[in-house]
């Protein structure tokens, strides 16, 4: 072992850097005679699958040739890659948080996932917030909220007391920016057909619907253009002359 140089000066430079204590070990030398303790079979034992040179270890789940347990049991169902898990929030809980002074809203500063998470009203945003209408009669304060989804019962209850609901699409990056309070990046627009149809529908209070673009005080110029582009398919016509019917 070569001696390790250690600097006694307080300043650290590239010339006096050294490995940490006990971070380096001597190389294990195999097959160098019986006196070394690792000669002959080099610590592998006598013969067998694990003693062969160049032999890779059996892959995880290999059971010696018999049918592994992963194949013996039947499979059922599938995993939906497009599934989203929303964090539910009910109107009575929001009213309770408002009564305690932990939540407040206005048309210019609506309640978002960030305010709900920081106030402790929810503990995880998951893939977005879904507003539900359980115990709707307990809601007495007009609230202005921007969730990812909202039920029809919740929408009617909020608007009946003078509040507003505008459902906004968030992909994982946009949701993280919302929670962290970042506004330096442009949030993504919906790209899947089901999302486009949902967020351009005023019945769902989608933020890209023409009615929402007119009524939302926090509407962006980009949303107005997106609303026109995403709804342009309704006015498109196709020339069917010369097309043979099957």
């Amino acid at each position: 072992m070569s001696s390790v140089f250690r600097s006694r000066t307080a300043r650290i430079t590239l010339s006096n850097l050294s490995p940490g204590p006990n971070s380096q070990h001597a190389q294990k030398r195999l097959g160098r005679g019986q006196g070394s303790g690792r000669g002959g079979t080099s610590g592998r034992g006598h013969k067998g699958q694990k003693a062969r040179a160049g032999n890779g270890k059996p892959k995880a789940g290999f059971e010696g040739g018999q049918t592994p347990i992963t194949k013996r049991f039947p499979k059922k169902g599938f995993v939906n890659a497009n599934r989203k898990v929303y964090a539910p929030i009910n109107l009575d809980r929001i009213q309770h948080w408002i009564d305690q002074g932990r939540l407040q809203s206005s048309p210019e500063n609506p309640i978002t996932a960030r305010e709900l998470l920081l106030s402790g009203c929810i503990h995880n945003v998951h893939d977005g917030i879904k507003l539900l209408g359980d115990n709707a009669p307990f809601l007495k304060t007009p609230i202005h909220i921007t969730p990812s989804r909202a039920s029809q019962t919740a929408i009617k209850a909020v608007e009946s007391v003078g509040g507003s609901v505008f459902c906004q699409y968030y992909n994982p990056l946009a949701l993280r920016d919302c929670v962290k309070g970042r506004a330096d990046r442009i949030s993504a627009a919906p790209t899947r057909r089901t999302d486009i149809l949902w967020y351009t529908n005023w019945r769902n209070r989608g933020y890209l619907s023409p009615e929402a673009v007119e009524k939302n005080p926090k509407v962006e110029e980009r949303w107005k253009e997106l609303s026109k582009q995403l709804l342009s398919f309704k006015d498109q016509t196709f020339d069917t002359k010369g097309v043979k019917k099957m």
Side-chain angles (χ1 to χ4, degrees):
M1 296 282 299
S2 59
S3 60
V4 178
F5 172 76
R6 294 199 172 279
S7 173
R8 296 182 181 179
T9 61
R11 184 179 179 182
I12 298 177
T13 63
L14 292 176
S15 62
N16 59 21
L17 286 176
S18 59
N22 302 322
S23 64
Q24 292 183 329
H25 305 279
Q27 180 184 3
K28 182 189 291 186
R29 302 179 74 245
L30 304 176
R32 295 299 184 269
Q34 297 296 332
S36 67
R38 299 188 185 89
T41 57
S42 301
R44 290 174 176 263
H46 289 285
K47 302 180 181 179
Q49 183 183 22
K50 296 182 179 179
R52 306 307 179 188
N55 174 63
K57 294 182 179 179
K59 63 181 180 180
F62 182 70
E63 298 183 9
Q66 73 177 14
T67 305
I69 192 172
T70 55
K71 289 186 178 182
R72 291 200 297 267
F73 281 84
K75 309 299 186 294
K76 184 179 180 180
F78 71 102
V79 176
N80 186 0
N82 297 317
R83 177 173 177 261
K84 288 189 176 182
V85 178
Y86 293 103
I89 181 68
N90 287 293
L91 295 176
D92 60 338
R93 187 173 178 87
I94 293 179
Q95 182 63 56
H96 182 58
W97 251 243
I98 292 175
D99 294 341
Q100 290 182 335
R102 302 168 70 175
L103 275 178
Q104 55 185 357
S105 66
S106 65
E108 293 74 21
N109 296 300
I111 298 173
T112 63
R114 174 179 172 82
E115 286 75 27
L116 293 173
L117 185 64
L118 294 180
S119 65
C121 197
I122 59 173
H123 303 293
N124 195 331
V125 295
H126 295 290
D127 296 323
I129 307 298
K130 183 167 184 178
L131 185 65
L132 301 178
D134 287 3
N135 297 322
F138 288 95
L139 182 67
K140 304 299 181 182
T141 307
I143 63 172
H144 305 275
I145 187 169
T146 306
S148 296
R149 296 290 178 100
S151 67
Q152 295 299 314
T153 305
I155 293 173
K156 293 178 182 178
V158 171
E159 293 181 348
S160 64
V161 296
S164 62
V165 179
F166 294 102
C167 296
Q168 185 172 341
Y169 171 80
Y170 293 100
N171 67 345
L173 180 60
L175 184 61
R176 186 163 71 244
D177 287 347
C178 175
V179 171
K180 292 182 178 295
R182 291 189 57 173
D184 57 330
R185 287 191 285 211
I186 299 176
S187 60
T191 55
R192 297 182 65 242
R193 176 185 174 88
T194 54
D195 290 334
I196 291 174
L197 294 176
W198 206 93
Y199 287 101
T200 54
N201 190 347
W202 173 243
R203 182 175 183 271
N204 302 324
R205 298 304 185 264
Y207 75 117
L208 294 178
S209 61
E211 296 84 353
V213 170
E214 294 179 2
K215 298 179 181 180
N216 191 350
K218 292 199 66 178
V219 65
E220 301 177 4
E221 292 297 327
R222 176 169 165 269
W223 295 355
K224 298 179 181 179
E225 188 62 29
L226 278 173
S227 178
K228 295 179 181 178
Q229 293 178 0
L230 295 178
L231 291 172
S232 61
F233 72 93
K234 293 185 177 181
D235 301 326
Q236 291 177 348
T237 57
F238 300 93
D239 185 12
T240 58
K241 293 182 179 179
V243 179
K244 295 182 180 179
K245 296 183 178 181
M246 299 298 292

